């Protein structure tokens, strides 16, 4: 624990962490991130972070239908909750109808139906709503929900590995206690679902930095306002190979000033880690320092904060990063040697917490970042 330079010991940050072994099992069924949840929480636990006095483990909870329908359409929610129980029929007409509905609600391909899907979606949404409610009650300063952060889900369909928009529902809950909310999205993909929900609001500023290139999912977020009526929307489109140094430069030079002018009352951070070096997507080249810097800066703003997960397709890297970020929130230094635990072998060959950068060149040159800065300035005129 750091001491304040004034000599007065700061109050420990009140931190909640959403976890239960049953929820980790359920979240580990997510087809895009099989077993990730279990491995993340196991590493956090192996570093003894869940035992700390200033961390309170809170149980996940299911969102009710009414809560889900605060944002999502009733038809979508009903279908999502019941589709697992609908048997494929001998009747061709009913089968065709089912296939049409699966298509309509996006429950195919990268969001295919899996056993436990409804329960998973209800828990993810309920837990982020609960995180927001706890902040609004002033029960905690920071709530961590690594299984949340599903930023592509839309009002009436699943998209991009995201079945439910826990983020939109969480922000809506936060708005009951906090007039202005800033949403910051560090995932390598554009946070299109959240942007779509709030783009016409001047009370929620959505800021997404992401890889942007032709053919790269979801293809939105080019740095120009999505609609002439859009209000507080800022997109930071970046190229391949982003390094910690440039992430830090962008965060300090572009995102921190946005926070200054917007002056939010609460913060939601989507911390997708699919931009890490070695992620199977292979787009960016980030390590722990880049994400850590962004989080430390956000913590220094001293506003109620929800920290969510997101993408991240190499389980051992996601576990390393989420463990490091948990320790950062708790202001504890942790050893670089991975402790012995159930998934220890996943950390071969070096068994270190740090993630080595790859050799990929950073295409975000000084000249390109000037172009991006101009785009940000233009979008920030509405903030
Ligand atoms: Zn992503």
């Amino acid at each position: 624990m750091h001491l304040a330079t004034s000599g007065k010991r700061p109050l420990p940050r009140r931190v909640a962490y959403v976890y239960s072994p049953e929820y980790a099992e359920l979240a580990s069924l997510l087809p895009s991130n099989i077993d990730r949840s279990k491995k993340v929480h196991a590493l956090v636990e192996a570093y003894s972070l869940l035992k700390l006095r200033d961390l309170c483990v809170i149980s996940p909870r299911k969102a009710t239908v009414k809560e889900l329908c605060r944002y999502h359409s009733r038809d979508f929610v009903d279908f999502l909750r019941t589709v697992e129980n609908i048997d494929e029929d001998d009747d061709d007409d009913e089968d065709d109808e089912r296939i049409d509905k699966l298509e309509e609600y996006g429950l195919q391909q990268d969001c295919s139906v899996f056993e436990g899907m409804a329960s998973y979606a209800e828990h993810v949404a309920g837990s982020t709503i609960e995180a927001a409610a706890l902040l609004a009650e002033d029960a905690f300063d920071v709530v961590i929900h690594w299984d949340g952060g599903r930023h592509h889900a839309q009002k009436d369909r699943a998209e991009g590995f995201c079945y439910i928009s826990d983020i939109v529902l969480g922000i809506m809950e936060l708005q009951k206690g906090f007039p202005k909310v800033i949403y910051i999205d560090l995932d390598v993909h554009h946070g299109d679902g959240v942007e779509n929900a709030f783009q016409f609001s001047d009370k929620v500023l959505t800021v997404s930095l992401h890889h942007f290139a032709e053919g790269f999912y979801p293809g939105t977020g080019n740095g120009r306002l999505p609609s002439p009526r859009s209000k507080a929307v800022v997109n930071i489109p970046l190229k391949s190979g982003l390094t910690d140094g440039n992430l830090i430069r962008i965060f300090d030079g572009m995102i921190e000033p946005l926070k200054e002018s917007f002056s939010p009352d609460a913060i939601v951070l989507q911390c997708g880690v699919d931009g890490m070096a070695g992620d199977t997507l292979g787009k960016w080249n980030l390590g722990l320092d880049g994400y850590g810097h962004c989080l430390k800066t956000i913590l220094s703003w001293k506003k109620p904060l929800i920290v969510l997960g997101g993408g991240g397709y190499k389980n051992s890297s996601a576990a390393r990063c989420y463990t490091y970020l948990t320790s950062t929130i708790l202001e504890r230094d942790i050893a670089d040697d991975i402790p012995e635990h159930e998934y220890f072998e996943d950390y071969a060959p070096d068994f270190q917490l740090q993630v080595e950068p790859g050799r990929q060149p950073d295409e975000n040159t000084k000249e390109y970042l000037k172009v991006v800065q101009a785009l940000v300035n233009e979008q920030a005129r509405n903030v």
Side-chain angles (χ1 to χ4, degrees), residues 251-317:
F251 195 89
D252 292 353
M254 302 184 201
I255 297 181
E256 186 148 33
L258 284 170
K259 171 256 164 193
E260 288 298 319
S261 52
F262 185 68
S263 192
D265 304 293
I267 307 155
V268 176
L269 173 65
Q270 195 272 16
C271 203
V273 288
D274 39 8
M276 285 182 82
D279 190 275
T280 52
L281 278 179
K283 290 296 172 203
W284 285 352
N285 201 4
L286 298 172
L288 304 185
D289 291 347
Y291 293 104
H293 175 87
C294 299
L295 179 59
K296 282 178 198 165
T297 307
I298 291 170
L299 290 166
S300 76
W301 299 343
K302 296 196 185 332
K303 295 284 178 194
L305 168 66
I306 302 178
V307 182
L308 302 170
Y313 302 100
K314 188 172 175 191
N315 289 343
S316 57
S317 295

Side-chain angles (χ1 to χ4, degrees), residues 19-29 35-38 41 147:
Y19 168 68
S20 76
E22 298 76 26
Y23 181 38
E25 288 287 343
L26 193 57
S28 291
L29 301 173
D35 288 341
R36 189 182 85 171
S37 180
K38 285 191 281 193
H41 298 295
D147 296 301

